[in-house]
Amino acid sequence: MEHIKRILQDRISKKIEPNKVLLIFGARRSGKTVLLRQVVNNFRGQTLLLNGEDYDTLSIFENHRTNNYLSFLVGVDLLAIDEAQHIPNIGSKIKWILDEVKNIRIILSGSSSFDLVNQRGEALVEKSAQFYVSPFSQKELSQIETLQQTNQHLEARLIYGSYPEVVYIDDPVRKIDYLRDITGAFLFKDLLTVESIKNANYMMELLRLIAAQIGTDISLDELGRQLKKSKNTVEKYLELLSKLFIIHRLGAYSNNHRKEVTKVGKWYFYDNGIRNALVGNFDPLVIRKDVDILWKNYLISERLKANYNECLGKEFYFWRTYDKQEVDLVEESSNPLFALQFNWGNKSSIMPKSFNEIYPHVEYKVVNRDNYLDYIT
């Protein structure tokens, strides 16, 4: 299969400037390393690409002496470090390099935003731009697919997701094995970078609970009882899992109208394949009871990918009233609100009466299998 160019590649390249640092985040195996290499290869100038997990790289940064840093950066125009979060105190060290090495350009990538963001220091914030790398979007996959092929692959996208390696694997059994590996060894490894072994086990169990209740109102108190943890601890775990780019939360949109639900949230996965691996279900759609949920998760994740890839700066919500009128996705930006309802079947549905009364000028669209590509490509 031919190479798929990531939408972010050109955007990142255009942001490379002297004495600036670019931060690239994304889940493990989402394609950050390949993207970083492409950006580095296309850069006109002397480059140095390091891996934060390599012993040699760690040794270089252990020696925090001026002469040491200046020596390995002689003649380097662009310094790129993959998995940079594994380097202790990476933020302060990068800040020093920016301050001391004239005209250096820096790109850091990591599967966790914790160390890169939390350790970088306030002074570094002003000198950075951030990008999120997701699994392949359908817009990216359209580079190598015809319209007919895309429609043929829809069921596979709902079941196996769009991680790069999954897309390139033809055999469904191998796809399943790969996804089980990600949700086992690799995901657990990421959890260990932010929590102890004991708490990482709790976080994995929390992920399974979320996967079983995806797209529904989730009670933090109930999750706490199931995990035998406090509500505050559950909230902490959910925040960590969000920053590892595994799940994301949709809050309830409200204009403070008395009919509107305001204090609940729904959780979705960035990738269907990860969700299905956590619940252990890769059955075909024809015998599944959760097709509507898979459809919503897929479309919401695709809208999120577009937001990240195009740097649109949108905020995402769902909407509901106390009498159960609901809209699946409400997008807020500098433009007017945009509301989407997702139907797996081809039936149409009208805008909920209360939503129309409260937001009469909002554009409302129903997305089904006939028109879904109009909203994700």
Side-chain angles (χ1 to χ4, degrees):
M1 184 179 290
E2 61 186 289
H3 172 72
I4 298 173
K5 182 179 179 180
R6 303 309 298 262
I7 293 173
L8 280 176
Q9 182 176 323
D10 291 339
R11 295 184 181 278
I12 293 172
S13 295
K14 290 177 182 178
K15 284 286 188 178
I16 299 175
E17 298 177 11
N19 301 110
K20 299 287 185 180
V21 57
L22 304 183
L23 305 178
I24 301 175
F25 302 127
R28 188 175 292 273
R29 299 298 185 93
S30 59
K32 299 184 305 300
T33 299
V34 173
L35 172 61
L36 183 60
R37 287 174 179 165
Q38 290 294 322
V39 171
V40 170
N41 290 340
N42 290 331
F43 178 78
R44 294 183 178 180
Q46 184 65 36
T47 63
L48 177 62
L49 176 59
L50 302 174
N51 189 310
E53 294 182 298
D54 288 346
Y55 174 79
D56 290 341
T57 299
L58 293 172
S59 297
I60 290 172
F61 283 93
E62 279 179 4
N63 187 354
H64 194 174
R65 291 202 302 265
T66 300
N67 290 340
N68 180 61
Y69 280 3
L70 293 179
S71 64
F72 84 87
L73 290 173
V74 170
V76 173
D77 300 303
L78 172 63
L79 170 64
I81 308 176
D82 194 20
E83 298 297 341
Q85 77 274 8
H86 293 289
I87 300 173
N89 301 314
I90 182 63
S92 61
K93 294 173 180 178
I94 292 301
K95 181 182 180 301
W96 187 94
I97 292 174
L98 286 173
D99 291 340
E100 298 297 327
V101 181
K102 187 177 180 180
N103 293 329
I104 190 72
R105 304 154 180 85
I106 299 176
I107 305 177
L108 307 178
S109 78
S111 56
S112 162
S113 64
F114 294 100
D115 293 330
L116 295 187
V117 172
N118 296 338
Q119 295 182 18
R120 64 190 180 181
E122 288 300 320
L124 193 58
V125 174
E126 298 176 359
K127 299 181 179 182
S128 68
Q130 299 181 31
F131 300 90
Y132 165 66
V133 181
S134 68
F136 284 141
S137 68
Q138 182 53 54
K139 185 173 182 178
E140 290 169 323
L141 291 170
S142 295
Q143 298 173 33
I144 61 169
E145 292 180 347
T146 65
L147 177 60
Q148 181 181 12
Q149 289 172 327
T150 294
N151 287 323
Q152 290 172 345
H153 293 155
L154 177 58
E155 178 165 357
R157 303 276 146 79
L158 297 185
I159 297 173
Y160 305 115
S162 303
Y163 267 74
E165 192 70 21
V166 169
V167 169
Y168 286 123
I169 294 172
D170 292 326
D171 181 16
V173 174
R174 290 180 57 216
K175 288 180 186 284
I176 293 171
D177 289 341
Y178 180 83
L179 287 166
R180 285 173 175 162
D181 284 342
I182 291 180
T183 55
F186 294 110
L187 178 53
F188 196 75
K189 182 178 179 179
D190 275 346
L191 297 181
L192 289 177
T193 66
V194 297
E195 283 294 303
S196 67
I197 293 177
K198 181 179 179 181
N199 288 340
N201 280 314
Y202 280 117
M203 291 171 71
M204 285 293 288
E205 183 57 31
L206 175 59
L207 271 178
R208 293 187 179 96
L209 292 173
I210 297 294
Q213 304 175 59
I214 186 173
T216 63
D217 293 354
I218 292 181
S219 166
L220 298 185
D221 290 322
E222 178 59 28
L223 289 175
R225 283 191 290 271
Q226 291 177 284
L227 293 172
K228 296 182 172 58
K229 294 286 183 179
S230 69
K231 176 182 176 181
N232 289 340
T233 298
V234 171
E235 286 183 311
K236 173 191 171 185
Y237 288 171
L238 289 172
E239 181 182 6
L240 295 177
L241 292 167
S242 297
K243 291 180 177 178
L244 286 170
F245 308 106
I246 303 167
I247 56 176
H248 57 90
R249 181 180 184 272
L250 290 187
Y253 188 84
S254 171
N255 197 22
N256 296 320
H257 192 279
R258 60 183 177 80
K259 292 183 179 181
E260 294 176 316
V261 173
T262 59
K263 296 182 179 180
V264 296
K266 297 184 177 186
W267 290 89
Y268 290 90
F269 281 76
Y270 279 101
D271 186 79
N272 277 36
I274 299 298
R275 184 267 174 176
N276 287 330
L278 286 163
V279 298
N281 187 352
F282 293 100
D283 289 340
L285 298 183
V286 69
I287 61 173
R288 296 185 71 133
K289 298 180 180 180
D290 59 353
V291 178
D292 288 335
I293 290 299
L294 295 179
W295 182 237
K296 286 184 183 180
N297 193 87
Y298 171 68
L299 293 175
I300 290 172
S301 68
E302 287 292 319
R303 296 293 292 184
L304 286 170
K305 291 174 189 177
N307 186 54
Y308 290 127
N309 288 337
E310 307 291 343
C311 302
L312 300 177
K314 292 183 178 181
E315 298 292 336
F316 295 84
Y317 307 89
F318 76 98
W319 177 88
R320 193 173 70 238
T321 60
Y322 287 102
D323 60 355
K324 306 300 182 182
Q325 296 186 54
E326 187 162 355
V327 175
D328 291 325
L329 189 66
V330 176
E331 300 179 0
E332 183 181 42
S333 65
S334 57
N335 297 316
L337 293 179
F338 186 50
L340 294 169
Q341 196 74 12
F342 303 127
N343 290 344
W344 173 245
N346 293 328
K347 64 179 182 180
S348 61
S349 60
I350 62 174
M351 182 187 301
K353 181 179 178 180
S354 293
F355 189 78
N356 192 27
E357 291 172 352
I358 301 171
Y359 307 103
H361 302 297
V362 172
E363 187 174 5
Y364 175 87
K365 299 293 183 180
V366 177
V367 183
N368 55 40
R369 280 174 285 174
D370 288 336
N371 66 359
Y372 78 101
L373 289 175
D374 295 336
Y375 298 93
I376 65 174
T377 59

